[in-house]
Amino acid sequence: MAIAALVPGALLGWVVYEAVGGGGGAEHPAAAPASRTSAASSGASGNSASPTGSAAADAKGQSAAGPLAGKVVVIDPGHNPGNFRHTTEINRQVDIGTNKKECDTTGTSTNDGYTEARFTLDVAHRLRTLLEKQGATVKMTRDGNSPAWGPCVDERARFGNNARADAAISIHADGSAEGDRGFHVILPGSVHAGAADTRKIIKPSTDLGTRIADKFQRDTGEPPSNYVGKGTGLVTRTDLGGLNLSTVPKVFIECGNMRDSKDAALLTSGAWRQKAAQGMSDGIVSFLRES
């Protein structure tokens, strides 16, 4: 979830990477960005993804039978492959309660051009499948064909709120320096300012995040971050609109560092991404079955 936009070299790598169909054999590559016309149909601003429901849900929004029947999970795949073409739109400032921040960023990429946006969508698809098998109703803030950019961070938060999610997770990968590696789960800090009030979600979000961190490490073998979190795999932040504006239990996960060669080898592996999705699913299931 690097804050800086993709550098020109990374953009060139992305173009080459997409052209040759890279990504370790991803089963769910991100589709080409949707047209603004189709994206506009989902919201007045034209960039909001309409609630993308579970493939297992019927016309009434009910999921298949299972231990998580009746539970709603929102998956937020970070960034968007079209963001770098819409810099004006994603640089627009939005209110996150404590201050204003960019609508979204481009995200990062591996040195070979495998983008964070593509990674997050692939893992999100895998996670959705696993949770549907448990009977959960799953909704995604974006999918392969929409929107063309964004959604903005405040819209991503509202998506989970409007869905009345029992749990929400925003999937990312980091863009730190070579040698910085490992995962970390970001928990909401205490914020009560403007439109933001996280006080009611801190405890359940911490429980959710702790369970995800435990299962993610177990299932993937990925160590906790060696550059943030002091080896716990957990970090608390108050500067993320997706957490500040959430009214439902929500966490972010940085699955690894795309700029580190060891982590990049994992993140570009389809087999490892399946393990990553399994770890997230196991943590979410554990949380929901006891909540």
Side-chain angles (χ1 to χ4, degrees):
M1 189 180 64
I3 295 176
L6 289 172
V7 297
L11 287 178
L12 177 60
W14 178 83
V15 173
V16 173
Y17 198 92
E18 294 294 302
V20 299
E27 284 79 358
H28 304 284
S35 68
R36 297 302 295 154
T37 302
S38 87
S41 66
S42 61
S45 65
N47 66 312
S48 300
S50 59
T52 306
S54 159
D58 62 20
K60 296 182 180 180
Q62 298 298 312
S63 61
L68 296 188
K71 299 291 187 180
V72 176
V73 178
V74 165
I75 304 174
D76 177 29
H79 309 290
N80 189 311
N83 278 359
F84 75 90
R85 297 189 185 97
H86 295 274
T87 55
T88 298
E89 291 88 345
I90 68 169
N91 285 331
R92 178 173 61 85
Q93 299 287 297
V94 298
D95 188 355
I96 65 167
T98 52
N99 59 289
K100 289 190 175 182
K101 202 168 184 178
E102 294 84 359
C103 158
D104 201 0
T105 64
T106 61
T108 188
S109 73
T110 66
N111 292 332
D112 289 334
Y114 180 52
T115 63
E116 181 182 1
R118 184 173 179 179
F119 167 82
T120 62
L121 187 60
D122 178 84
V123 174
H125 284 153
R126 296 169 188 268
L127 176 57
R128 178 174 65 185
T129 297
L130 292 169
L131 291 171
E132 287 174 351
K133 289 180 179 178
Q134 296 290 325
T137 295
V138 180
K139 299 178 182 294
M140 291 173 56
T141 59
R142 71 173 180 91
D143 211 333
N145 60 351
S146 66
W149 53 271
C152 295
V153 294
D154 56 337
E155 294 172 306
R156 292 173 188 264
R158 284 196 296 271
F159 188 103
N161 299 344
N162 292 339
R164 298 183 179 180
D166 296 287
I169 183 169
S170 188
I171 302 173
H172 291 268
D174 218 347
S176 190
E178 176 74 30
D180 291 346
R181 64 172 309 224
F183 79 93
H184 62 278
V185 176
I186 305 175
L187 313 173
S190 181
V191 176
H192 184 209
D197 187 353
T198 61
R199 291 174 295 179
K200 291 183 179 180
I201 69 163
I202 288 177
K203 184 176 180 180
S205 296
T206 299
D207 185 20
L208 172 64
T210 300
R211 291 171 187 266
I212 290 174
D214 176 65
K215 305 302 184 186
F216 189 87
Q217 182 177 8
R218 183 197 68 185
D219 291 351
T220 65
E222 177 77 346
S225 170
N226 64 5
Y227 59 100
V228 292
K230 299 180 179 179
T232 65
L234 299 171
V235 176
T236 300
R237 290 176 61 173
T238 59
D239 63 327
L240 299 175
L243 294 181
N244 286 3
L245 300 173
S246 181
T247 59
V248 300
K250 184 175 182 180
V251 299
F252 280 42
I253 184 168
E254 299 280 4
C255 298
N257 176 20
M258 301 195 98
R259 295 295 186 170
D260 175 77
S261 56
K262 291 181 179 178
D263 272 2
L266 299 176
L267 297 166
T268 54
S269 162
W272 188 87
R273 291 195 298 273
Q274 186 64 34
K275 293 177 182 179
Q278 187 67 61
M280 295 177 207
S281 176
D282 288 347
I284 293 169
V285 170
S286 174
F287 170 75
L288 292 178
R289 294 189 73 169
E290 296 189 23
S291 63

